[in-house]
């Protein structure tokens, strides 16, 4: 019995990181191609450190990691990383905005540009915590609950004493 509980606990602990880290297929079923609004695609999602972007695309496309200036100008000449294997997985390792574009001439202007805001990982200690006042209100409420249980307990003991 004890070992079953321990095994279940281990399984749970092992499963947690897999649940927290997400792989996003860029563009979903539209993949990485011309004519997709990646600003809209990004706006519907939350990206965190530890997540992965997966770009899937045909042979006419590539993926370049650029800075904001390159993204704004559709200029891939300053790319820090480039991929053209058709299925590129890029880990989001730092907080901030990552910029991508397709360096094939005309494709970035055709919409193949992506700016992904990366937030701190959900398990990170720098993640926002509830405000102190909310925490106090919550503990006050639970203290009140404990007090009323205490009153019921005392009342029952007194009644038991009277009945004897
Ligand atoms: Cu392209």
């Amino acid at each position: 019995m004890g070992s079953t509980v321990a095994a279940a606990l281990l399984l749970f602990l092992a499963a947690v990181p897999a649940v927290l880290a997400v792989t996003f297929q860029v563009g979903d079923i539209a993949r990485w191609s011309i004519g997709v609004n990646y600003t809209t695609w990004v706006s519907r999602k939350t990206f965190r450190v530890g997540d992965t972007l997966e770009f899937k695309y045909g042979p006419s496309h590539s993926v370049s990691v650029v800075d904001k200036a390159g993204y704004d100008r559709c200029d891939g000449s300053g790319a820090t990383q480039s991929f053209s294997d058709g299925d590129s997985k890029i880990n989001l390792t730092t907080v901030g905005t990552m910029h991508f574009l397709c360096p094939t001439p005309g494709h970035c202007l055709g919409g193949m540009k992506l700016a992904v805001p990366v937030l701190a990982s959900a398990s990170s200690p720098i993640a926002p915590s509830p405000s102190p006042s909310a925490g106090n209100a919550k503990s006050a409420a639970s203290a009140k609950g404990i007090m009323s249980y205490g009153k019921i307990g005392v009342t029952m003991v007194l009644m038991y004493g009277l009945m004897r």
Side-chain angles (χ1 to χ4, degrees):
M1 185 62 188
S3 63
T4 309
V5 172
L9 188 67
L10 274 176
L11 200 66
F12 172 73
L13 290 175
V16 167
V19 169
L20 294 177
V22 181
T23 297
F24 295 96
Q25 184 177 313
V26 174
D28 297 319
I29 57 166
R31 314 202 300 168
W32 181 232
S33 59
I34 289 181
V36 179
N37 188 330
Y38 292 102
T39 305
T40 304
W41 181 79
V42 161
S43 70
R44 292 175 182 155
K45 293 174 172 60
T46 302
F47 304 89
R48 294 186 181 279
V49 168
D51 291 348
T52 302
L53 292 180
E54 182 172 15
F55 292 81
K56 289 188 173 182
Y57 47 93
S60 67
H61 305 297
S62 302
V63 181
S64 289
V65 181
V66 296
D67 60 9
K68 188 180 185 303
Y71 172 87
D72 289 340
R73 294 195 313 264
C74 271
D75 177 8
S77 63
T80 53
Q81 274 183 295
S82 287
F83 306 87
S84 49
D85 57 335
D87 186 356
S88 313
K89 290 176 185 157
I90 298 170
N91 294 321
L92 304 177
T93 53
T94 51
V95 173
T97 303
M98 280 195 81
H99 299 87
F100 307 89
L101 57 76
C102 177
T104 305
H107 287 201
C108 177
L109 292 170
M112 293 188 76
K113 61 194 302 197
L114 174 66
V116 174
V118 183
L119 306 178
S121 75
S123 56
S124 164
I126 56 169
S129 56
S131 69
S133 59
N136 288 344
K138 198 177 172 187
S139 57
S142 61
K144 208 172 170 183
I146 289 163
M147 272 172 66
S148 53
Y149 276 120
K151 278 181 192 165
I152 291 165
V154 169
T155 309
M156 283 175 77
V157 168
L158 286 173
M159 281 174 72
Y160 184 68
L162 289 172
M163 281 163 70
R164 283 179 65 166

